[in-house]
Amino acid sequence: MVAAAEKREAPSEDHARDAKVSRTDDGEGTGRLAKRKVAIFFGYCGSEYSGLQVNPGVKTIEGDIFDAFCRAGAVSKDNAVNPNKVQLQRAARTDRGVHAAGNLLTLKLILEPPHLPAQQTLTEYVNTLLPPQIRIWGMRRVQSAFNARTSCDSRLYEYLLPTYVFIPPKPFSSMWKMLRRLNTGEEEAPMKEDGSPVAPWEDEALRDNTVLNHPFWQAHGTSGDFAQDMLGKRQWRIDRPALERVRRVFDEYTGSHNFHNYTVGKEFRDRSAHRVMKKLTISDPRMIHGTEWVSVQFHGQSFMLHQIRKMIGLLVLIGRTNAPVSLVAQTYGPARIHVPKAPGLGLLLVEPFFGGYNQKVTNNNERIDRVIAQRQASSKPLPPDAESGRREHVDYQAFQDKMDTFKQTFIYDQIYKTEEETAEFAKWLNYLDVFVGPDFEFLNPSGTIPTSAILKVGEQRRAPGGQPKAPSTDTNEAQGEALHSDEEGETQGADDDA
């Protein structure tokens, strides 16, 4: 097993080379170094990377890891030209800018390359060849039938979200006007004698409407620019009733549903759009650098491209309006609607799970124990390879302390710092609030999806690069910058893009 092999002192180069050319995977003496199928446990900060999966000409996490193994001699020169030659697979594929505390690769490696430095394990050596934001936690031999993606039973993701995203839209914005029309039948606020609109807290029609007449905007005012609004939003704290309502909305995702509205390129009749959410939780708020955050966790069997970010998108839309909890169930039906994609900044893969495979390993190891016990009881000698089929479980328990430290330093702190410097979530909210069109008319108090909000197959109501903006006298440039968050440039593929 790799764990045991890595603890041994590395032999001299000459001795190592003589010993390791003895056989290949087939056990035949061909002069090539032996390769073994292993699971690679690793984590990474996805900032400045164009996603996980190898993509020629693009900087990716897998590209750097594969290059490090090649430089370490764990991949031969013949196989270094193409990762497919060593059967590279991953448990979960992540988008541009998305992080992972624990992910898993499988590939065939030369476990004791000729030039492995003395007193260093292969894991330790490869880590010296990687940037600090990518770490290999360890390696373990796996059964030949193990596949990082198909052997994965489920995946746990986390999304860090500042609670200010649940503040209702700014009065007189396009979103606010649409909500006013859906709630009162009148889009425009009444006007004062001087031609200025009546403030929501002075409007009799909105006196009891806590979305259109929210206490935050009454205390903060509506005349501030983006920067001034941000100062107030960072000081805002979500109350318990509002948090519990958001949790009830989130709980509507639990179970098996048709999530065709939460990805791209899948129609209602596509059976692959059905996904199972096993457990969903939202933590109590936590203060970080003066801003209140919650941790949103998704434990599901598998996820489609952008699924989690769109689930967060609808959660925020409902959480900051008076659309009912029942709206979530409507999105599983055939009507195709525009569900916005939340920023990738807050998303990270916590770890994948391999319960089915681990049970097979347990059963196999017990069978080996029985065979050995039977031979010993009958005084029969054990064959040299009696233990060769024994394997370890694929889990992250042994690496948890290192993963937690890395997660705090390279992921959590990076997310908090980036949001503090760029106001990424606030820019995304601006993109929502200046949107023009009927797409979000499903945010009505009845929770029904009107015909006006239903998109036709292939229809996309937005200009290239972002959503058109409503005419506005607010001159802050952050509104325009918000448009970048709806890029669809990541590679579309199988079940594990979140």
Side-chain angles (χ1 to χ4, degrees):
M1 284 179 277
V2 175
E6 288 200 340
K7 293 179 181 178
R8 296 197 299 267
E9 178 177 340
S12 67
E13 291 184 10
D14 290 340
H15 176 77
R17 186 178 296 106
D18 292 341
K20 288 176 280 191
V21 297
S22 58
R23 66 188 200 128
T24 63
D25 290 335
D26 301 324
E28 300 175 359
T30 64
R32 291 189 295 179
L33 300 176
K35 301 189 299 293
R36 298 290 180 261
K37 189 169 188 177
V38 296
I40 307 297
F41 302 82
F42 70 109
Y44 50 91
C45 171
S47 301
E48 302 176 3
Y49 281 87
S50 297
L52 171 69
Q53 189 174 4
V54 169
N55 189 2
V58 177
K59 185 177 178 62
T60 66
I61 303 293
E62 275 185 2
D64 276 10
I65 291 176
F66 184 70
D67 178 66
F69 278 121
C70 292
R71 291 163 60 195
V75 175
S76 68
K77 291 183 179 180
D78 290 340
N79 293 331
V81 296
N82 188 351
N84 292 332
K85 289 191 173 185
V86 291
Q87 301 176 19
L88 178 67
Q89 293 284 343
R90 78 285 308 165
R93 184 168 47 193
T94 54
D95 273 350
R96 178 190 301 122
V98 177
H99 321 291
N103 203 342
L104 192 95
L105 295 175
T106 49
L107 69 165
K108 288 189 173 183
L109 291 179
I110 300 166
L111 296 181
E112 295 183 0
H115 301 288
L116 181 68
Q119 305 300 325
Q120 271 194 329
T121 66
L122 182 56
T123 293
E124 292 169 342
Y125 183 40
V126 171
N127 276 332
T128 67
L129 304 176
L130 288 168
Q133 68 191 83
I134 303 176
R135 291 294 89 182
I136 306 295
W137 306 127
M139 310 178 195
R140 290 178 186 168
R141 289 280 304 277
V142 291
Q143 296 176 356
S144 59
F146 180 84
N147 181 293
R149 187 175 70 86
T150 59
S151 298
C152 182
D153 304 318
S154 60
R155 299 157 178 89
L156 176 64
Y157 282 87
E158 181 178 19
Y159 195 99
L160 300 182
L161 194 64
T163 60
Y164 73 72
V165 300
F166 296 111
I167 298 173
K170 187 174 184 176
F172 314 122
S173 65
S174 295
M175 178 72 79
W176 184 88
K177 289 180 179 180
M178 181 199 72
L179 292 173
R180 192 182 197 284
R181 173 169 50 82
L182 295 176
N183 281 266
T184 70
E186 296 290 336
E187 182 169 289
E188 297 294 338
M191 307 300 287
K192 298 179 181 179
E193 292 183 0
D194 63 1
S196 62
V198 173
W201 45 91
E202 298 173 347
D203 188 342
E204 281 295 324
L206 306 181
R207 181 178 298 278
D208 299 322
N209 191 312
T210 56
V211 170
L212 297 171
N213 180 19
H214 192 269
F216 170 81
W217 292 112
Q218 183 173 0
H220 179 73
T222 61
S223 60
D225 60 15
F226 180 85
Q228 292 170 326
D229 289 347
M230 276 308 306
L231 290 175
K233 288 180 177 181
R234 294 196 188 284
Q235 296 172 15
W236 184 77
R237 307 292 177 251
I238 192 169
D239 59 31
R240 180 59 59 174
L243 178 60
E244 292 303 324
R245 179 174 180 271
V246 170
R247 283 171 169 161
R248 289 195 300 274
V249 174
F250 193 48
D251 193 54
E252 289 294 303
Y253 289 134
T254 305
S256 177
H257 304 291
N258 187 330
F259 287 96
H260 73 101
N261 269 314
Y262 298 84
T263 186
V264 292
K266 290 189 184 293
E267 298 182 10
F268 173 71
R269 294 185 178 84
D270 191 334
R271 295 185 63 183
S272 68
H274 287 263
R275 300 292 154 134
V276 178
M277 300 297 107
K278 300 166 72 71
K279 185 178 181 180
L280 304 171
T281 61
I282 298 178
S283 72
D284 285 337
R286 179 186 178 192
M287 290 294 300
I288 305 292
H289 302 157
T291 300
E292 188 178 66
W293 294 75
V294 289
S295 167
V296 185
Q297 292 205 338
F298 300 73
H299 185 190
Q301 286 187 349
S302 60
F303 298 86
M304 296 176 289
L305 179 67
H306 303 326
Q307 181 182 339
I308 290 177
R309 293 166 65 182
K310 284 177 172 283
M311 291 170 74
I312 290 290
L314 187 71
L315 176 70
V316 170
L317 284 181
I318 298 177
R320 67 198 299 258
T321 66
N322 60 352
V325 174
S326 60
L327 173 62
V328 177
Q330 298 295 316
T331 67
Y332 305 140
R336 181 172 175 267
I337 62 173
H338 174 188
V339 177
K341 181 180 63 174
L345 174 65
L347 180 60
L348 66 138
L349 171 66
V350 179
E351 68 176 278
F353 297 95
F354 302 89
Y357 170 78
N358 289 340
Q359 185 59 54
K360 292 179 181 179
V361 167
T362 297
N363 295 341
N364 183 65
N365 291 346
E366 290 175 349
R367 182 186 61 79
I368 292 174
D369 290 338
R370 289 194 299 270
V371 171
I372 291 175
Q374 290 170 0
R375 295 188 71 92
Q376 290 175 336
S378 60
S379 300
K380 294 181 179 179
L382 295 177
D385 60 350
E387 297 271 3
S388 63
R390 194 182 297 278
R391 295 290 181 266
E392 294 179 87
H393 283 180
V394 174
D395 60 41
Y396 293 80
Q397 186 174 355
F399 318 118
Q400 203 62 57
D401 289 344
K402 291 181 179 180
M403 289 169 61
D404 288 344
T405 300
F406 177 86
K407 184 164 55 175
Q408 184 63 52
T409 303
F410 285 92
I411 299 179
Y412 288 168
D413 289 352
Q414 177 73 18
I415 292 173
Y416 301 142
K417 180 182 178 183
T418 301
E419 162 60 22
E420 188 173 355
E421 294 176 349
T422 67
E424 188 80 8
F425 289 95
K427 292 175 181 177
W428 174 64
L429 291 175
N430 259 11
Y431 147 69
L432 297 177
D433 289 351
V434 302
F435 182 86
V436 177
D439 288 32
F440 298 136
E441 289 184 358
F442 54 75
L443 296 173
N444 56 74
S446 65
T448 59
I449 299 177
T451 303
S452 59
I454 298 176
L455 304 178
K456 297 178 182 179
V457 175
E459 183 179 8
Q460 195 172 28
R461 293 180 185 151
R462 65 180 176 90
Q467 305 289 355
K469 294 192 292 184
S472 173
T473 57
D474 189 349
T475 59
N476 74 80
E477 297 179 358
Q479 292 186 343
E481 295 175 8
L483 305 181
H484 80 87
S485 64
D486 200 46
E487 294 170 350
E488 296 288 352
E490 294 87 351
T491 302
Q492 298 181 24
D495 303 350
D496 41 275
D497 279 293

